[in-house]
Amino acid sequence: MVSEFPDAPEAETAALALKILVAGGFGVGKTTLVGAVSEIRPLRTEELLSEAGQFVDDTDGVDQKVTTTVAMDFGRITIRSGLSLYLFGTPGQDRFWFLWDELAQGALGAVVLADTRRLEDCFPAVDYFEHRHIPFVVAVNCFTGARAYDADDVAHALDLDRGTPVVLCDARDRDSGKEVLIRLVEYAGRMHTARLLDSVS
């Protein structure tokens, strides 16, 4: 097809933007991951932890945490020419879950961050995406001092559906976070293609 504007640079052609959620328990590193990989200054909606929330925010194991996301984090990363990801970090506490349905609309897939010191905290996110048939990967954030487990051990402990990817990562590291996102896009692409083929067969 001949371009109507032959001198227009290739970069000006239509690009694909995909919506990705970053979810997980309280203090697992969602804000850190979005901030590490985002090529723009990330939008954050963090507030200081208060005395009023000390009975509902379990800070056991994350004693140094002094802020929490109350709405969402937002960032953007270009995976390759013509493909960008819009990242939406979800709040981790139960009392903010009413926001999840809004954030999940139109999402290609999700990253569920996990901390092996508090692995049970990611069960609600895993259940949420499984029940809504939203493709997701589990990314184990390898905190300093945490006991190391391999991907198969984590998949077994979380009783994940067969084939759900589990990857080890450092949420502070841009390259590590980018690899997690690439893995998710590849997996979600395969899942959506399979569903499309099933629907027409």
Side-chain angles (χ1 to χ4, degrees):
M1 176 178 177
V2 178
S3 171
E4 190 174 345
F5 305 98
D7 296 327
E10 188 176 335
E12 291 182 7
T13 59
L16 180 62
L18 304 174
K19 182 179 183 181
I20 301 295
L21 298 188
V22 179
F26 176 66
V28 78
K30 300 180 295 294
T31 298
T32 300
L33 177 65
V34 172
V37 300
S38 181
E39 62 198 17
I40 62 171
R41 182 178 179 181
L43 167 68
R44 292 178 173 154
T45 58
E46 289 195 304
E47 295 291 341
L48 291 173
L49 292 173
S50 65
E51 289 185 17
Q54 65 181 328
F55 300 109
V56 291
D57 294 332
D58 180 10
T59 58
D60 185 35
V62 287
D63 303 10
Q64 305 301 315
K65 186 171 176 62
V66 296
T67 62
T68 185
T69 299
V70 295
M72 67 174 183
D73 299 312
F74 175 77
R76 186 190 71 212
I77 178 174
T78 301
I79 296 296
R80 58 171 171 74
S81 178
L83 176 60
S84 297
L85 304 181
Y86 289 163
L87 308 175
F88 292 81
T90 66
Q93 302 98 308
D94 293 353
R95 67 184 187 277
F96 295 123
W97 270 47
F98 66 92
L99 294 169
W100 281 46
D101 287 338
E102 293 293 329
L103 292 175
Q105 289 186 16
L108 173 77
V111 173
V112 175
L113 272 175
D115 177 353
T116 57
R117 301 168 301 177
R118 297 158 51 107
L119 196 58
E120 67 280 1
D121 288 0
C122 74
F123 273 111
V126 168
D127 289 343
Y128 181 91
F129 297 120
E130 282 184 344
H131 290 149
R132 288 160 181 80
H133 306 289
I134 297 174
F136 68 94
V137 301
V138 173
V140 180
N141 193 4
C142 299
F143 286 91
T144 303
R147 183 176 170 185
Y149 295 89
D150 65 28
D152 289 339
D153 289 336
V154 173
H156 180 72
L158 293 176
D159 193 25
L160 297 175
D161 290 340
R162 186 177 179 182
T164 301
V166 176
V167 294
L168 308 181
C169 75
D170 181 345
R172 303 166 298 179
D173 182 76
R174 176 180 171 83
D175 289 338
S176 180
K178 188 173 180 180
E179 284 302 314
V180 170
L181 296 172
I182 291 172
R183 186 78 176 273
L184 170 62
V185 171
E186 291 173 345
Y187 174 65
R190 292 195 301 271
M191 292 294 289
H192 286 292
T193 299
R195 290 171 187 170
L196 180 62
L197 292 175
D198 284 344
S199 69
V200 297
S201 62

